[in-house]
Amino acid sequence: MFAVIGAPSPASAAATAYNTKSSTLAGNPSDGMATICLTKDIALASGTYKWGYVMYGTNYDSESRNISLAAGTYKWTQCIDPKDGFYNLSGKLQVIVDTDPLPPAYLPEWAVDIVSNTTMTWGGYLDPAF
């Protein structure tokens, strides 16, 4: 048996961050139902991130976008908005600064059909590409 001293360990990427919630969602939503939003502050390193939606507890890469962010603390909001027969998911990132804030970044809205009442995990993810 050999012990290797001072051998480099494999590099590891930063962990994916999540802003998610488990909710019971109606199978036939309507415009009159309440929008649910999740908001949290998150400190991010400078770099490129893949930003996308989580639905049914799964990251949906097809609805993602790559976004370059400066290091800072961001207010991260993910919403699910009932419409007549479907839900709209949306996402927003806004850097938190004392003066002259930059404009927020948005994920394109994503319409999701839910066919029956179900409890699921939904929200968003930020996956660092560094």
Side-chain angles (χ1 to χ4, degrees):
M1 180 170 211
F2 298 115
V4 179
I5 299 173
S9 60
S12 61
T16 301
Y18 290 92
N19 187 8
T20 59
K21 177 182 176 103
S22 289
S23 300
T24 300
L25 301 175
N28 190 18
S30 64
D31 266 340
M33 297 170 70
T35 299
I36 304 169
C37 290
L38 312 172
T39 300
K40 73 182 205 176
D41 293 348
I42 184 169
L44 297 172
S46 177
T48 300
Y49 293 79
K50 181 186 283 187
W51 181 23
Y53 291 113
V54 173
M55 196 65 176
Y56 300 102
T58 301
N59 294 3
Y60 277 83
D61 290 339
S62 63
E63 303 301 325
S64 69
R65 67 177 278 205
N66 290 328
I67 184 168
S68 293
L69 299 173
T73 301
Y74 291 77
K75 185 166 294 296
W76 182 10
T77 304
Q78 295 289 149
C79 296
I80 189 164
D81 184 16
K83 300 295 182 187
D84 286 332
F86 65 97
Y87 290 88
N88 262 349
L89 273 74
S90 62
K92 176 179 162 182
L93 278 170
Q94 174 75 54
V95 67
I96 300 171
V97 294
D98 292 332
T99 60
D100 196 21
L102 297 172
Y106 295 94
L107 270 174
E109 287 190 351
W110 181 33
V112 177
D113 293 325
I114 297 175
V115 295
S116 62
N117 292 357
T118 187
T119 299
M120 72 173 66
T121 301
W122 62 273
Y125 70 92
L126 282 166
D127 188 13
F130 50 91

